[in-house]
Amino acid sequence: MGNLFGAVGKESIDSDLEAMAVWAESYSYAARQLEEVFCDCVGVWLFGQSYLHSFRYLLAPDLSERPSDNYPPNRWRSEFAIEAARSYGDSADSTFANAFRPFEKSREKKVEIADIVTKTLVPKIIAEANDFFDGKKLTRPSATETERCKQSLYSLCPFSDYESVGSLLNAAWELRLDLENWSIPGVPDDVSDEKKIDILNDLVFKSFEVVEWNGLRPRVAGNKI
Amino acid sequence: MILNTLDISQRLFDETDVQKRIFLIPAPDRTEFEGHSGASIDLHLGRWFRTMRQSNVTVLKVGKAQSYSGFSKEHFVRFGKEFILHPGKFALGMTLEWISFPGDLAGHITGKSSLGRRGLVIETAAGIHPGFAGCLTLELANVGEIPIALNPGMEICQVFFHKTLSANSRATSQFKGSRKPGSTT
């Protein structure tokens, strides 16, 4: 770090203007990266496994270069998300991170410093995200509720009586990842996966719509000709 | 044999025999529903519509399925907003409710007289087979003289249930209807 900060010592690193100009950039990168990690933790808290599945669906296999130094590498993000899931009591697939390309090293020292800071603070951020939900009256997805949702979707019924939307999404992802074994009554067995996904999407979106409707019902239901 | 309100209520809310249940989502308030003396259940209008648009298509060959996404347009109307159906116009709509029929019930869907008196036709292909699962497509037409404002969430039609002479176990909850009007004739 000597070449980066010149002759500045540890004792004056937060008062020397030249040193501050350098590490302020690292600070900025680290702050942005930690925001992303916090958001991932919020996603994992709210949506459980389905957040991980969506993360992989949208970002894997991560063939491009690191899109921005304001984000931790996707491989790291996936590892942090797994760490968060385990911390919140979920079982997590240990091979999940393998969907992403291993991250080697940042191109710039300033970013590398930020990466190290981010990695060091992850456990604290995971705990912060958990604390964030204290008193918010939100419910985490549960295995029991996920199973209820799944049985409903299996029998071609939307499910709107959930406490956590994550349970519904988890159930939908479980079906989505096992389409081969989902035989839909009224639909030929050799139907394409795309058609099955259309039906699954319909069931999930209808579930959301019903929840929205139940909230608006007293106001909207008065609309009679 | 047609089901009355109490018969329908039992099918809706009695969870002891899943094979005979009618799944209606969202379900009506049980107490309020059982207070009715009729033999049908009211359904509400959904938020998705499909209308024909001006095009250079000269003829619709109805004998075979064809996509009409090229000369029709999908509309989404939020709760609290209106969809205006002008005189002489036709639109496809959907019920808000997702309904699933057991194997021993068929049904038919029909309009409400209060809407019919204003020129609104709801449905022409009204039969519902045992085992149907999904939202019901509405064939909305304004045959009156004045534009009609339709609000998603309003009561739009009613469904009558008929007990079949025997149950067809193969016909339980077969996926038939999606939540949007399809783009195929």
Side-chain angles (χ1 to χ4, degrees):
Chain A
M1 221 171 281
N3 58 345
L4 195 65
F5 291 103
V8 177
K10 194 177 177 182
E11 67 286 348
S12 58
I13 197 169
D14 58 351
S15 57
D16 185 289
L17 289 177
E18 285 186 20
M20 286 171 68
V22 175
W23 71 255
E25 285 188 67
S26 293
Y27 175 86
S28 172
Y29 286 131
R32 296 285 183 88
Q33 289 186 14
L34 287 166
E35 283 173 12
E36 289 304 320
V37 175
F38 182 81
C39 292
D40 285 339
C41 292
V42 167
V44 170
W45 197 99
L46 282 172
F47 305 115
Q49 296 286 319
S50 54
Y51 186 83
L52 302 177
H53 293 311
S54 305
F55 188 92
R56 176 159 53 187
Y57 177 79
L58 290 169
L59 297 178
D62 186 31
L63 293 175
S64 64
E65 290 293 307
R66 185 176 178 175
S68 164
D69 294 328
N70 288 324
Y71 293 81
N74 286 338
R75 172 79 176 218
W76 286 16
R77 280 180 70 186
S78 64
E79 289 167 354
F80 300 156
I82 287 286
E83 199 177 327
R86 287 186 177 140
S87 165
Y88 302 150
D90 294 341
S91 59
D93 178 5
S94 54
T95 64
F96 170 68
N98 295 344
F100 299 90
R101 202 172 53 166
F103 177 71
E104 289 168 4
K105 199 177 177 187
S106 299
R107 284 167 305 214
E108 288 187 66
K109 195 74 183 172
K110 286 179 283 192
V111 181
E112 194 182 336
I113 293 170
D115 290 344
I116 293 167
V117 171
T118 298
K119 212 165 190 176
T120 308
L121 289 177
V122 162
K124 190 172 164 57
I125 294 295
I126 290 172
E128 286 281 339
N130 196 37
D131 293 346
F132 172 76
F133 288 101
D134 272 353
K136 295 281 195 300
K137 295 182 180 172
L138 289 166
T139 308
R140 290 215 69 227
S142 71
T144 311
E145 192 173 62
T146 298
E147 189 56 33
R148 283 179 64 208
C149 294
K150 196 172 165 185
Q151 290 309 317
S152 182
L153 298 179
Y154 252 129
S155 55
L156 295 176
C157 283
F159 188 88
S160 58
D161 191 22
Y162 53 76
E163 287 186 33
S164 164
V165 68
S167 297
L168 177 67
L169 294 172
N170 286 346
W173 267 106
E174 285 180 22
L175 284 177
R176 168 77 174 77
L177 296 172
D178 192 27
L179 289 176
E180 204 173 304
N181 293 317
W182 187 26
S183 175
I184 305 175
V187 175
D189 283 339
D190 59 350
V191 71
S192 66
D193 284 354
E194 285 74 17
K195 175 65 179 168
K196 287 184 176 180
I197 291 170
D198 281 347
I199 294 170
L200 183 59
N201 285 344
D202 262 353
L203 289 163
V204 173
F205 282 123
K206 179 51 81 174
S207 304
F208 291 154
E209 187 177 39
V210 171
V211 171
E212 185 183 350
W213 164 249
N214 286 338
L216 294 169
R217 199 172 195 160
R219 185 159 56 88
V220 178
N223 290 324
K224 296 179 181 178
I225 291 182
Chain B
M1 184 169 58
I2 202 160
L3 272 57
N4 68 19
T5 299
L6 293 177
D7 299 327
I8 297 170
S9 178
Q10 189 174 12
R11 295 279 193 149
L12 281 173
F13 300 109
D14 184 355
E15 298 180 6
T16 53
D17 191 351
V18 176
Q19 296 294 320
K20 292 196 169 182
R21 273 192 83 183
I22 299 168
F23 289 94
L24 185 70
I25 300 160
D29 177 80
R30 183 173 188 171
T31 310
E32 189 183 330
F33 178 64
E34 289 180 350
H36 296 165
S37 58
S40 69
I41 187 163
D42 290 339
L43 302 187
H44 300 83
L45 182 62
R47 299 193 287 183
W48 293 93
F49 299 87
R50 184 171 283 277
T51 56
M52 301 290 181
R53 61 184 179 196
Q54 298 288 328
S55 75
N56 59 359
V57 175
T58 53
V59 62
L60 267 179
K61 294 179 180 174
V62 295
K64 60 178 182 180
Q66 73 182 103
S67 168
Y68 55 36
S69 57
F71 54 91
S72 68
K73 188 179 177 187
E74 191 175 77
H75 307 269
F76 173 77
V77 181
R78 288 188 294 154
F79 289 126
K81 300 292 181 185
E82 292 176 338
F83 178 83
I84 307 296
L85 192 62
H86 289 270
K89 292 296 181 184
F90 170 78
L92 295 177
M94 299 301 286
T95 58
L96 176 70
E97 283 83 358
W98 182 288
I99 191 166
S100 172
F101 277 62
D104 66 336
L105 288 184
H108 76 269
I109 180 172
T110 182
K112 293 176 71 70
S113 60
S114 55
L115 300 173
R117 285 196 294 272
R118 288 159 172 82
L120 182 65
V121 175
I122 299 296
E123 190 73 59
T124 54
I128 308 167
H129 294 279
F132 175 94
C135 295
L136 295 162
T137 302
L138 305 170
E139 296 142 7
L140 304 165
N142 182 354
V143 297
E145 305 293 327
I146 305 170
I148 295 173
L150 300 171
N151 301 89
M154 66 183 280
E155 289 176 357
I156 190 77
C157 61
Q158 53 193 330
V159 173
F160 292 85
F161 297 90
H162 306 263
K163 178 92 173 67
T164 58
L165 290 176
S166 61
N168 182 350
S169 58
R170 288 186 303 135
T172 300
S173 289
Q174 303 206 356
F175 179 82
K176 296 292 179 192
S178 62
R179 72 196 167 93
K180 294 181 186 178
S183 57
T184 305
T185 57

